[in-house]
Amino acid sequence: MRIMVVGGGGREHAIIKKLKESKKITEIYALPGNGGISADAICVNIGAKDIAGIVDFAKNNKIDYAVVAPDDPLVLGCVDALNEIGVPCFGPTKAAAIIEGSKVFSKNLMKKYGIPTAGYDVFSNAEDALKFLENAPIPTVIKADGLALGKGVVIAFTKKEAVDAVKSIMEDKKFGDSGNNIVIEEFLTGPEVSVLAFTDGKTVKPMISSMDHKRALDFDKGLNTGGMGTIAPNPYYTDDIASECMEKIFLPTIDAMNKEGRQFKGCLYFGLMLTPNGPKVIEYNCRFGDPETQVVLPLLESDLFEIMQSVTNGTLVDCEVKFSKKSACCVIMASKGYPEKYENGFEIVIPNEIADSVYVAGAKKNDGKLLSAGGRVLGVTAVAGALKDAIDASYAKVKAIKFDNAFYRNDIGQRALKATEDR
Ligand code: AMP
Ligand code: GLY
């Protein structure tokens, strides 16, 4: 079968490498892919937001199945457009992708169906929001309604920070129309867990849990980023908590989306916080997480393509989704200066013997050389029986990769390791 994967980051590289293990697949195209992905798929220079271009490509190249991985094309209705020309897809329709596309929608959904989340208020003008802040408890959390590259969330530890956040989102339009509405919510505490789950709108099969490291610097200091590394499984996510989440969060969410006439099919990402009052939803994403995918898929023992097809066909209940009992760690190598200003164009040298476990996020090919071309450049994953060994192996691989201007955190997995040892 001829498969097309929409997107061009480390997550898409991990999806493509896993799909390549499936015997049913003869050809994989990546739109647009990147210089590193070109070792594993045929990259086509069509942007992930160019829905008309994607549809044309699928039509002209007899694509049998499409995986739409990033949030933007999903929210723009890429799956609907491909379905219209008869291409089956992995990913939610536009109507269902709103669960990530609008925080106001997802908060209201949780409230209506009693799904545990932080208390909140919605504002459509700055004046009302600023008035509300006069008596709001601090810290408080301010979120732009729409997509904002993971940067639309401000945790305000002082009233001034809260006021500045409202002004920059609603008045200065820092995130454009994404900030026409905002959510101001209760500040929660507790360990965070990412759970990606396959669902066909009837059955939910969660993948192995993981832990992201969002801050740029060691010990969770510095700015928020797209994610500087991940480990799986997440030691805080015990079997008891998993059962509680299934009962109180996962199944009720699928049910709620069905009742709203927005059946969700694809990968639903639950960003959870394990608070002293039980697990609560911090955010939903309508897609695989990045870099969570880079630790979750290497632990998947079942055939990813068969699972994806069962999600599309509504037969997930009969499909095995099995994970290894091992642990995985992914360390992101970024460009120095990320997530702010950074320089690109440095040659990346990856030893052949570790290329299988490198997921390239931002690089281009030039005269046969791989050059850095992004804030996050690549992720390096290792799998081992014990978390500590996975962490050590992943850092050993990082040290074997050479590019000038490389930057990475040194403490990926350390908090998880401590939680394991404290048990
Ligand atoms: P998001 O971009 O929605 O994933 O949010 C970024 C980060 O902000 C999350 O990973 C949390 O660490 C934090 N965050 C979001 N909402 C809350 C909240 N209500 N209370 C405390 N922290 C939060
Ligand atoms: N790693 C967080 C995300 O994919 O949104």
Side-chain angles (χ1 to χ4, degrees):
M1 288 181 86
R2 296 161 63 78
I3 310 295
M4 167 173 103
V5 175
V6 175
R11 164 186 55 203
E12 287 75 13
H13 202 177
I15 291 172
I16 287 166
K17 280 190 195 262
K18 197 74 200 176
L19 286 174
K20 277 179 75 180
E21 294 174 11
S22 177
K23 298 203 172 40
K24 282 195 199 161
I25 295 179
T26 52
E27 216 123 38
I28 306 183
Y29 295 91
L31 280 63
N34 67 45
I37 292 178
S38 66
D40 293 292
I42 301 162
C43 294
V44 182
N45 193 15
I46 296 175
K49 290 200 258 183
D50 178 3
I51 308 297
I54 293 167
V55 168
D56 269 352
F57 179 83
K59 216 188 294 178
N60 298 334
N61 292 276
K62 300 198 174 60
I63 296 299
D64 298 304
Y65 190 85
V67 178
V68 183
D71 46 1
D72 278 317
L74 290 166
V75 170
L76 289 169
C78 190
V79 165
D80 311 60
L82 287 167
N83 286 344
E84 249 169 57
I85 59 157
V87 177
C89 294
F90 182 84
T93 58
K94 181 176 183 173
I98 193 175
I99 198 164
E100 174 170 2
S102 167
K103 293 211 192 305
V104 174
F105 171 86
S106 66
K107 294 298 288 189
N108 289 344
L109 184 85
M110 288 186 269
K111 187 192 243 175
K112 182 169 171 186
Y113 293 93
I115 298 165
T117 188
Y120 71 103
D121 288 272
V122 175
F123 299 92
S124 55
N125 69 71
E127 201 186 335
D128 290 348
L130 293 172
K131 192 145 194 252
F132 172 86
L133 284 179
E134 282 171 19
N135 298 310
I138 295 291
T140 190
V141 183
I142 296 164
K143 299 186 172 182
D145 176 37
L147 297 180
L149 292 171
K151 294 177 185 140
V153 175
V154 175
I155 315 282
F157 289 97
T158 63
K159 200 143 276 184
K160 181 173 182 309
E161 280 172 11
V163 167
D164 289 349
V166 167
K167 285 185 177 164
S168 82
I169 296 173
M170 299 200 90
E171 289 176 353
D172 308 340
K173 297 277 177 208
K174 189 171 175 193
F175 305 111
D177 286 345
S178 284
N180 288 350
N181 294 296
I182 59 166
V183 171
I184 299 187
E185 70 177 34
E186 177 196 2
F187 175 76
L188 300 176
T189 54
E192 286 184 56
V193 184
S194 306
V195 180
L196 324 184
F198 293 110
T199 176
D200 60 1
K202 298 177 283 188
T203 305
V204 189
K205 297 204 171 171
M207 297 177 227
I208 199 159
S209 63
S210 53
M211 182 192 286
D212 195 3
H213 297 69
K214 286 203 160 95
R215 299 299 193 99
L217 308 177
D218 287 359
F219 310 114
D220 294 327
K221 297 277 190 308
L223 295 171
N224 255 323
T225 70
M228 293 299 291
T230 37
I231 58 95
N234 186 320
Y236 291 104
Y237 193 70
T238 59
D239 289 349
D240 284 350
I241 292 174
S243 306
E244 188 179 355
C245 290
M246 180 58 91
E247 184 201 332
K248 294 185 180 157
I249 296 175
F250 305 161
L251 291 170
T253 301
I254 299 309
D255 217 36
M257 291 298 276
N258 285 335
K259 290 197 174 114
E260 294 296 310
R262 297 173 182 273
Q263 186 176 61
F264 190 102
K265 286 180 164 200
C267 172
L268 185 51
Y269 168 127
F270 298 90
L272 306 171
M273 196 171 264
L274 308 181
T275 77
N277 299 317
K280 296 194 180 187
V281 177
I282 288 281
E283 63 162 349
Y284 292 115
N285 290 326
C286 65
R287 51 170 174 85
F288 284 96
D290 188 345
E292 284 89 342
T293 306
Q294 291 92 309
V295 284
V296 169
L297 290 187
L299 294 171
L300 178 66
E301 290 180 340
S302 313
D303 184 312
L304 176 62
F305 188 49
E306 277 177 16
I307 299 171
M308 286 182 158
Q309 284 185 304
S310 79
V311 164
T312 309
N313 299 336
T315 55
L316 180 61
V317 68
D318 299 321
C319 188
E320 187 186 55
V321 177
K322 192 167 169 251
F323 282 87
S324 145
K325 296 261 180 275
K326 293 182 175 171
S327 294
C329 173
C330 174
V331 178
I332 297 292
M333 298 180 80
S335 301
K336 209 173 283 164
Y338 172 74
E340 296 190 290
K341 270 213 176 105
Y342 53 83
E343 276 181 61
N344 272 156
F346 299 98
E347 185 179 356
I348 308 163
V349 180
I350 304 170
N352 275 338
E353 57 277 17
I354 63 168
D356 273 359
S357 50
V358 175
Y359 303 109
V360 178
K364 61 180 182 196
K365 267 265 165 75
N366 205 338
D367 280 342
K369 288 181 180 167
L370 195 61
L371 306 179
S372 61
R376 288 190 295 176
V377 176
L378 54 86
V380 188
T381 295
V383 171
L387 176 61
K388 182 169 187 320
D389 296 335
I391 296 169
D392 290 347
S394 166
Y395 276 104
K397 292 185 200 184
V398 163
K399 292 193 173 101
I401 294 175
K402 301 282 171 238
F403 72 94
D404 286 344
N405 215 40
F407 168 77
Y408 54 89
R409 272 178 65 161
N410 292 290
D411 66 337
I412 301 302
Q414 290 306 319
R415 179 186 292 185
L417 202 55
K418 184 151 190 325
T420 321
E421 288 163 359
D422 286 350
R423 277 230 201 104

